[in-house]
Amino acid sequence: MSKKNPVWSFFASVKLAIVLLILISAASILGTLIPQQEAAGPFISRLSPGVADILRSLQLFNIFHSAWFMLLMALLATNLIVCSLNRFPAAWKRFRKEPEPDQADLFEQIPADQTVISETPLKEETDRLENLLKKKLKGVRRRDGSDHAYLYGEKGSYAHFGVYIIHTSVLILMAGVVIGFLFGFEGYVDIPEGESAAAVALKGGGGTKSLDFAVRCDRFFIDFYENGMPKTYRSDLSFVKDGRVVQTSPVLVNHPVTFAGIRFYQANYGMIPSGDPIMVVTEGDKKIKDVKVAIGMEFDLPGKKAKVQMIRVEENLMGMGPAVKLNIQSPAGQVQIWIFQAIEQIHQANPGLIEQAPLFNPSLFKPYVFSLDQANKQYYTGLQVMQDPGVPIVATGALVMMIGFLVVFFSSYRQIWIRLDSRGDKTRISIAGKSNKDAVGLDREIRKWLDAVKLNKESAS
Amino acid sequence: MINTVILSWVTFIYFTAFAFYLVRMVSGKEIWGRLATVAALIGLFAQTTALILRWITSYQMGIGHAPLSNLYESLIFFSWSIVALYLLMEWRTKSRSLGTFVVPVAFLSMAFASLSPNVSSRIQPLIPALQSNWLTTHVLTCFLGYAAFTVAFALGLMVFMKGLERRNPESSRSFIQLIPEADILDELIYQSVVLGFVFLTIGIMTGSIWAHYAWGSYWSWDPKETWSLITWLVYAIMLHARYVRGWRGKRMAVMAIIGFVSVLITYLGVNYLPGLHSYQ
């Protein structure tokens, strides 16, 4: 492909990369300011329908899964690939390049302390240093002159590729995300204790997905700390295939369980009422009585010498759920009230109802409060159900990125030149170096070699 | 509890250290600098002791966990990382002028932790979502990253202070001359940002692994996750601009300041947005 091609040079520019990164950042900021997906509902209801429609058509309530966000990501991926392809040959050339050992100009401005005098003659000293260099450095080369010699060695030439390792890792990460998006799913299922489910609701209203096995919740369990904070949520699950229990595992928060490649997470829980209805009487915070609900049932309230009778029992009164009508007979007179099971919801939907209709006030006969309840409560567990074949790929990408970071940030390409000049039966040794970055590290490297040369001198004398 | 008493003293010690660094800068007398270093060291030592005591106390209460589990503990650790990193840099670079800009951030973090009525200093047990081995690694790496970015931010402020000197050289005060040369500042900004970037990346990765086990997805675009990505992108842009377009000096300083604002939103700002990550 021609590198003069305008499309190619558009994608090969780092400016484009920076613009794309800024656009992705801006979109992400927007995504944290505008409520997204399920959370968007209440926000949308406060907008005028026209504005809401415009925002919806721009996919601003689902930015991170919108077509234009994906487009930005695809552009970034293309940009990364083209940029890397464009620059790789230069890096390869730098990697393959074998610099001349005799670069006299390098030694012109080195500090005086990078030169030492050795007691051994030129030939012997050069041989010794060459061996030393070969042990520690790569690409060691030598050039002998009549009264001088040059040695060259380098290390960290792989550092030329660090950037490509990081960019490849980003592409691997993106590939993993795409694979998860295409071949994975995310769903939810609520299972009451003792019951089974063989299908899950897909996230974002995407219908249901049936599983080729059933999950049974044998037990749901909550434990609390002394101060009332929750300590453990746990579901004991059984996986049933062809009518047979294949696996039984507990699922806790932070400890999901995998069955047939699908992971189950403890995500939620709740209670559903079941069993016979009962009438509960409380005084302050104290529960003083519970009575089975049935027409004609009578009980006493000792504190007020009152006698209570259930005169009507309705399954669903005026569409407001189960209700019981009480007749309370006391020395002060006679009172009748309706007790609803769903009193809280009714109260929320119709604020001020109790003030308007004392007939519906469960605490009319002070100090007692009546409520309807059910004898048993049953827990249900809320499980999140996931399958994401992209996870191992994403993990590989993360690992490769860390390797790239090590290469780019914590290693550098260092070149060392040594010049040896004959001074009679002694030798003058000068050391120079170059590095693609990290001048401090290079200086340390040069000092190390100076020390090695001096040590050599001492051991020889 | 004794640890919170020590920690409120540490707040005061860091303020003293800051005041000494400031006096050194204005007066130009190195004795104040030495006093400041001693104060900061005492503060760091006391703070380390308090953190260890807090850790031990949590085990005595039967709810043992590393002191990295709520907003109070994170603010304390944030300030600890800043001072530890700063003292390391002071020792390596033999320059104290950075202290005037960095130590006040550590002090403010401590003051916020100790004084804000919304920040509870009680040792609380871990709710089920936090009961993970990844908690400590995740929080540790994130806050070391935040501390490095804080240092880069302070260096960025110094670049602008140094710029004042160039604008009117004759009236330049002694304290500006104490600031290292622009190219040294630039190199230090670069190194701090690299350190922060690597730690932030590890922090995001450990967070993703944890989320994979706790929430069922390594990435859910929760506001904190999203803002950590934005912060990561800001510093990625900064590093690319330096490598490829050769940005230095003031431009890098501006990026270091923008990056720090993004860090603050990631750390504290997102608590005002709904999400899985908000501190309780």
Side-chain angles (χ1 to χ4, degrees), chain A residues 223-231, chain B residues 61 63 120 122-127:
Chain A
D223 193 12
F224 294 95
Y225 291 107
E226 280 169 21
N227 69 358
M229 283 168 67
K231 184 179 184 181
Chain B
M61 291 166 73
I63 49 171
S120 161
R122 274 211 312 268
I123 300 181
Q124 287 152 326
L126 295 179
I127 58 166

Side-chain angles (χ1 to χ4, degrees), chain A residues 32 225 231 254 265 384 386, chain B residues 126 129 131 210 212 215-216 227:
Chain A
T32 60
Y225 291 107
K231 184 179 184 181
N254 271 311
Y265 292 84
Q384 192 177 345
M386 301 282 299
Chain B
L126 295 179
Q131 295 164 11
W210 183 8
H212 171 79
W215 299 333
W227 269 100

Side-chain angles (χ1 to χ4, degrees), chain B residues 53-74:
Chain B
L53 282 176
R54 193 174 170 89
W55 202 333
I56 295 171
T57 310
S58 77
Y59 274 92
Q60 285 163 349
M61 291 166 73
I63 49 171
H65 58 77
L68 300 168
S69 72
N70 58 18
L71 182 55
Y72 177 79
E73 291 173 346
S74 81

Side-chain angles (χ1 to χ4, degrees), chain A residues 94-390:
Chain A
R94 280 199 300 277
F95 176 69
R96 298 293 299 177
K97 192 171 139 203
E98 298 191 329
E100 292 303 311
D102 50 342
Q103 297 207 1
D105 53 327
L106 266 176
F107 291 92
E108 275 163 21
Q109 67 266 36
I110 60 165
D113 65 345
Q114 284 180 219
T115 298
V116 288
I117 303 288
S118 162
E119 303 290 331
T120 36
L122 174 67
K123 171 80 173 57
E124 202 181 319
E125 187 63 41
T126 312
D127 288 345
R128 184 150 43 207
L129 279 181
E130 188 184 10
N131 283 331
L132 210 59
L133 279 182
K134 275 185 174 157
K135 266 184 225 157
K136 297 279 164 99
L137 299 179
K138 296 249 163 57
V140 174
R141 274 158 343 111
R142 170 177 178 169
R143 186 150 306 161
D144 289 302
S146 54
D147 61 344
H148 66 272
Y150 283 100
L151 287 170
Y152 168 80
E154 60 181 32
K155 74 200 264 184
S157 55
Y158 57 85
H160 292 307
F161 301 114
V163 155
Y164 301 99
I165 301 176
I166 295 182
H167 287 172
T168 309
S169 76
V170 174
L171 291 171
I172 298 174
L173 280 172
M174 286 178 162
V177 173
V178 170
I179 286 174
F181 184 73
L182 292 179
F183 303 110
F185 72 87
E186 185 177 351
Y188 296 93
V189 62
D190 290 338
I191 313 175
E193 274 186 322
E195 291 180 31
S196 306
V200 300
L202 291 177
K203 199 187 166 187
T208 57
K209 180 181 172 68
S210 41
L211 307 171
D212 54 3
F213 56 88
V215 193
R216 192 175 69 214
C217 174
D218 296 324
R219 202 165 92 93
F220 177 80
F221 173 84
I222 311 188
D223 193 12
F224 294 95
Y225 291 107
E226 280 169 21
N227 69 358
M229 283 168 67
K231 184 179 184 181
T232 312
Y233 301 121
R234 193 181 95 179
S235 305
D236 291 335
L237 300 184
S238 291
F239 296 92
V240 185
K241 206 164 183 180
D242 307 323
R244 225 159 40 82
V245 174
V246 186
Q247 185 183 330
T248 303
S249 320
V251 175
L252 293 93
V253 179
N254 271 311
H255 300 279
V257 67
T258 307
F259 182 79
I262 299 174
R263 298 197 317 272
F264 293 83
Y265 292 84
Q266 182 66 59
N268 200 355
Y269 76 99
M271 281 204 269
I272 35 177
S274 70
D276 297 329
I278 46 168
M279 166 78 57
V280 179
V281 187
T282 49
E283 183 182 352
D285 293 335
K286 217 170 65 211
K287 176 170 159 181
I288 56 165
K289 235 181 181 76
D290 55 42
V291 191
K292 194 169 171 290
V293 170
I295 280 205
M297 186 68 88
E298 280 184 0
F299 58 94
D300 294 331
L301 293 174
K304 284 236 173 160
K305 294 194 177 105
K307 190 180 275 290
V308 186
Q309 189 182 23
M310 301 183 193
I311 53 173
R312 275 180 70 186
V313 175
E314 294 289 332
E315 282 283 301
N316 188 355
L317 184 73
M318 302 184 293
M320 294 194 285
V324 172
K325 194 176 195 183
L326 297 181
N327 180 45
I328 307 169
Q329 188 75 51
S330 70
Q334 183 182 342
V335 192
Q336 291 196 343
I337 43 177
W338 276 105
I339 306 301
F340 289 94
Q341 185 170 331
I343 185 69
E344 272 174 36
Q345 288 90 313
I346 295 168
H347 195 60
Q348 259 168 21
N350 315 283
L353 177 76
I354 285 169
E355 289 73 21
Q356 291 159 17
L359 182 64
F360 294 150
N361 186 355
S363 41
L364 188 67
F365 192 70
K366 287 184 171 59
Y368 303 107
V369 180
F370 300 91
S371 59
L372 267 187
D373 209 340
Q374 254 152 329
N376 298 311
K377 279 200 172 136
Q378 190 184 15
Y379 278 117
Y380 71 84
T381 182
L383 299 175
Q384 192 177 345
V385 186
M386 301 282 299
Q387 188 172 35
D388 189 347

